[in-house]
């Protein structure tokens, strides 16, 4: 795909173009804290061009036929796969995450997203109903037209394609915006689409900030639906902008997920997965379990072993094979995490390990690194246990009964996911029923099956992605009644 460009371009109407204003934003490498490339600072006029291109492409794309759409999406997947190393390096440079993660999780999943929805669409069928008095009804599922996809920085290409692939597969044309913090793999995706021969205007990628480029997509009258993943505050703003136009919205928002550990669990497996669910991607995964609730008889043993293993995790160069954790996404995010550590201490908590930046030298000296941190002794109602921190920081709380565990787990405004560790399947089922969450993991974490509904309740979101749910989101159901 050629060398990674220093100046990222928008992908509009099949061409790679700068923002109409000619303005660029700086793109940082979190591991060095230095600017390494530039992205278009797009505005409403760029979005206008993108929507016009998408509208023009819609009739052809929606009518091209399933087999052709299937083949083109599979081709995009193949091209990403063939360039796996370049994509993975770009993702790690942009996010600061270990290359071991971007090359085994982020980019492979982007490939899978295209393949999953390309194949999904050829198996997607609709309902029909025999109706009394000589009639039958069937449901036509038609694409919406031009749709908007807006994604965050934590799993950039992974989440971007999780939206784009089903939107395209169902025959929509897309105007999409990746996070301003992580534009590079979206740019590489533009190139992959050109190489694959995706017709001009079917996918348009507009780079820039949320308030300018993002809001222009959300408010554009021709954009029929918004699929958004990001923070709850931004989700509220998007919902308020989209509601007056009656746009369809799918909002995947923040979380403060509980990880509930009963004394009868498989200790070794639980420990391995709890370490992952706490610190994978620096805790910057919406599904990470940031509140660890441990049944009291196991609490001391858990704490000792968990701290020992947390201390053992290596924070360092994302490109070094030995690094378990890389850098946080931005200086602001690093400052936010630090401020929550101060808050934990003010609220009466004890930092058991971590709590500060590691001392790194050379090119990493100015990078945005933070040690994995464990805090205990905080009440469930304190801000530290209520607010989403989105960093390598977890809190420990003991509990005595199932009822108390449920109360603590549900006692936040979020409801994305929850994890339960126990060998007692009846207890696990009781917990699953009572937990206020869109996803409950029992004796595992992030064991993903893309056919399952994905999303949150309460302030963690509206709607579901994945499987047929997202294919329904990106289509409009039309009932046709035939009398014979
Ligand atoms: P943000 O909400 O800040 O941003 C997400 C995206 O929205 C970015 O592309 C951003 O643009 C854009 N945006 C910001 N403001 C607006 C606006 N007014 N109108 C339209 N678009 C806007 O989230 P982060 O990027 O900081 O991501 C972290 C958050 O994402 C966490 O809360 C995390 O829990 C959540 N998340 C949820 C997931 C889920 O599935 N539920 C999965 C992954 C993350 P830009 O940044 O370019 O300015």
């Amino acid at each position: 795909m050629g060398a990674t460009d220093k100046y990222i371009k928008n992908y509009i109407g099949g061409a790679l173009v700068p923002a109409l204003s000619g303005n660029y934003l700086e793109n940082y490498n979190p591991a060095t804290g230095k600017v390494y490339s530039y992205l278009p600072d797009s505005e409403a006029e760029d979005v206008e061009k993108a929507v016009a291109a998408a509208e023009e492409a819609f009739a052809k794309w929606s009518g091209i036929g399933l087999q052709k759409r299937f083949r083109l999406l599979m081709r995009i997947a193949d091209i990403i796969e063939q360039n796996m190393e370049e994509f993975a390096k770009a993702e790690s440079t942009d996010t600061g995450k270990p290359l071991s993660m971007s090359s085994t999780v982020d980019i492979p999943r982007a490939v899978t997203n295209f393949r999953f929805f390309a194949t999904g669409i050829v198996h997607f069928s609709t309902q029909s109903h025999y109706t009394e008095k000589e009639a039958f009804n069937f449901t036509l599922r038609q694409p919406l037209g031009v749709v908007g996809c807006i994604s965050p920085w934590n799993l950039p290409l992974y989440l971007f394609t999780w939206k784009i692939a089903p939107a395209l597969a169902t025959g929509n044309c897309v105007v999409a915006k990746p996070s301003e913090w992580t534009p590079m793999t979206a740019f590489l995706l533009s190139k992959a689409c050109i190489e694959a021969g995706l017709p001009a205007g079917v996918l348009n990628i507009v780079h820039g900030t949320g308030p300018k480029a993002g809001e222009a997509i959300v408010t554009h009258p021709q954009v029929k639906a918004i699929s958004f993943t990001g923070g709850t505050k931004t989700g509220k703003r998007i919902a308020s902008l989209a509601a007056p136009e009656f746009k369809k919205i799918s909002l995947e928002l923040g979380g403060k997920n509980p990880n509930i550990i009963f004394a009868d669990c498989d200790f070794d497996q639980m420990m391995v997965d709890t370490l992952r669910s706490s610190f994978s991607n620096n805790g910057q995964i919406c599904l990470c379990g940031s509140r660890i609730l441990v049944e009291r008889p196991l609490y001391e043993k858990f704490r000792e072993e968990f701290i020992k293993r947390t201390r053992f995790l290596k924070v360092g160069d994302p490109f070094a094979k030995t690094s378990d954790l890389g850098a946080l996404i931005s200086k602001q995010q690093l400052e936010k995490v630090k401020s929550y550590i101060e808050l934990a201490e003010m609220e009466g908590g004890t930092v058991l390990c971590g709590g500060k930046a590691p001392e790194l030298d050379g090119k990493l000296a100015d990078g945005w690194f933070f040690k994995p941190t464990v805090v205990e002794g905080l009440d469930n109602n304190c801000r530290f246990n209520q607010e989403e921190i989105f960093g390598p920081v977890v809190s420990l709380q003991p509990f005595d009964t199932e009822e108390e565990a449920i109360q603590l787990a549900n006692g936040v405004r979020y409801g994305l996911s929850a994890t339960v560790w126990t060998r007692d399947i009846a207890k696990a089922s009781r917990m699953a029923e009572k937990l206020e969450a869109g996803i409950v993991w029992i004796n595992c974490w992030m064991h993903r099956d893309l056919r399952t509904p994905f999303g949150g309740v309460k302030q963690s979101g509206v709607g579901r992605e994945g499987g047929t749910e997202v294919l329904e989101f990106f289509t409009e159901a039309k009932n046709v009644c035939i009398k014979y």
Side-chain angles (χ1 to χ4, degrees):
M1 296 188 65
T4 303
D5 304 36
K6 200 169 173 184
Y7 286 87
I8 289 167
K9 301 277 192 308
N10 287 335
Y11 173 46
I12 296 178
L16 297 176
V17 292
L20 288 166
S21 66
N23 293 336
Y24 283 91
L25 298 164
E26 293 174 328
N27 188 27
Y28 286 85
N29 176 342
T32 62
K34 304 268 186 306
V35 173
Y36 85 100
S37 61
Y38 299 85
L39 61 140
D41 184 7
S42 308
E43 306 199 18
E45 54 186 0
D46 301 288
V47 170
E48 189 63 51
K49 289 239 171 240
V51 174
E55 275 197 290
E56 201 182 322
F58 178 64
K60 191 172 164 204
W61 180 244
S62 56
I64 201 172
L66 285 184
Q67 289 303 325
K68 283 194 179 151
R69 252 189 264 149
F70 161 80
R71 274 200 294 275
L72 273 163
L73 297 180
M74 293 295 270
R75 175 95 185 102
I76 295 171
D78 290 346
I79 294 170
I80 300 173
E81 192 169 56
Q82 284 153 14
N83 294 280
M84 182 71 74
E85 197 181 334
E86 183 183 357
F87 272 91
K89 282 183 177 162
E91 203 70 296
S92 281
T93 308
D94 242 8
T95 57
K97 72 176 69 190
L99 187 61
S100 57
M101 178 164 186
S102 46
S103 59
T104 59
V105 179
D106 292 74
I107 308 305
R109 174 58 188 277
V111 172
T112 304
N113 286 340
F114 275 107
R115 290 192 179 139
F116 180 79
F117 290 111
T119 50
I121 197 68
V122 292
H123 297 276
F124 187 44
S125 59
T126 62
Q127 291 175 313
S128 64
H129 307 269
Y130 169 74
T131 307
E132 283 180 54
K133 297 194 190 131
E134 294 166 344
F136 67 90
N137 287 272
F138 69 93
T139 308
L140 260 184
R141 282 220 160 254
Q142 296 174 304
L144 306 175
V146 180
V147 299
C149 298
I150 301 177
S151 60
W153 46 259
N154 63 327
L155 296 162
L157 195 66
Y158 175 133
L159 291 175
F160 200 51
T161 54
W162 181 232
K163 300 177 177 308
I164 288 171
L168 294 178
T170 42
N172 299 283
C173 290
V174 176
V175 177
K177 192 194 91 62
S179 168
E180 71 186 274
W181 301 100
T182 52
M184 192 56 92
T185 49
F187 179 44
L188 295 181
L189 174 66
S190 315
K191 295 182 178 182
C193 291
I194 293 170
E195 193 179 329
L198 190 71
V202 169
L203 172 63
N204 303 274
I205 299 176
V206 181
H207 294 271
T209 67
K212 278 202 281 186
E215 287 206 9
I217 296 173
V218 174
T219 54
H220 197 291
Q222 292 310 320
V223 174
K224 306 293 183 214
I226 300 293
S227 172
F228 168 79
T229 299
T232 296
K233 199 170 157 213
T234 316
K236 266 188 197 168
R237 171 88 185 139
I238 289 175
S240 73
L241 293 170
E245 296 296 323
F246 306 107
K247 294 184 187 210
K248 270 182 130 176
I249 50 171
S250 166
L251 304 174
E252 301 295 335
L253 310 177
K256 190 75 181 174
N257 308 313
N259 188 353
I260 305 158
I261 300 166
F262 285 97
D264 66 351
C265 69
D266 174 341
F267 188 82
D268 293 337
Q269 188 59 49
M270 175 278 295
M271 199 41 84
V272 169
D273 279 353
T274 302
L275 215 61
R276 277 178 57 235
S277 69
S278 301
F279 303 121
S280 283
N281 206 35
N282 255 321
Q284 302 170 138
I285 300 179
C286 53
L287 301 167
C288 277
S290 52
R291 295 182 297 139
I292 304 179
L293 313 177
V294 188
E295 200 172 15
R296 203 172 300 271
L298 189 69
Y299 189 80
E300 293 300 323
K301 180 179 171 191
F302 173 87
R303 180 174 61 176
E304 191 181 325
E305 184 63 23
F306 188 66
I307 290 168
K308 194 168 98 192
R309 295 198 195 193
T310 301
R311 286 206 174 108
F312 199 68
L313 294 173
K314 191 165 176 343
V315 183
D317 187 350
F319 285 85
K321 285 200 174 108
T322 48
S323 298
D324 298 299
L325 283 80
L328 301 191
I329 188 66
S330 63
K331 195 164 184 336
Q332 291 91 311
Q333 190 64 18
L334 177 63
E335 294 306 325
K336 179 182 168 191
V337 170
K338 283 182 182 166
S339 76
Y340 273 96
I341 304 302
E342 281 169 27
L343 178 70
E345 285 170 335
M346 274 163 50
E347 290 185 318
T350 306
V351 176
L352 299 174
C353 66
K356 57 182 180 186
E359 281 170 21
L360 299 173
D361 47 25
K363 66 179 175 73
L364 307 180
D366 296 326
W368 303 316
F369 297 88
F370 201 76
K371 287 187 174 186
T373 301
V374 184
V375 174
E376 75 166 354
L378 286 168
D379 187 79
N380 205 46
N381 293 324
C382 70
R383 280 183 54 204
F384 190 89
N385 277 333
Q386 289 289 321
E387 297 173 10
E388 185 184 48
I389 302 172
F390 220 54
V393 180
V394 294
S395 83
L396 307 187
Q397 288 173 269
F399 69 85
D400 290 300
T401 62
E402 267 178 65
E403 290 69 31
E404 190 190 357
I406 289 285
Q407 212 174 28
L408 293 171
N410 290 345
V412 292
R413 67 188 180 120
Y414 297 106
L416 185 55
S417 72
T419 304
V420 180
W421 288 94
T422 175
R423 283 193 167 96
D424 180 344
I425 200 70
K427 182 157 62 181
S429 305
R430 284 196 298 276
M431 296 294 289
E433 273 179 39
K434 290 180 191 155
L435 282 164
E436 294 168 356
I439 301 153
V440 178
W441 316 101
I442 309 278
N443 296 329
C444 60
W445 178 73
M446 234 177 131
H447 196 77
R448 291 284 287 120
D449 178 332
L450 303 190
R451 293 168 298 181
T452 58
F454 183 92
V457 299
K458 292 155 75 175
Q459 303 228 342
S460 287
V462 174
R464 292 290 178 274
E465 296 188 309
T468 50
E469 305 260 352
V470 74
L471 301 179
E472 287 173 2
F473 174 76
F474 281 121
T475 51
E476 201 70 80
K478 183 187 285 175
N479 175 239
V480 183
C481 177
I482 302 181
K483 179 109 170 61
Y484 54 88

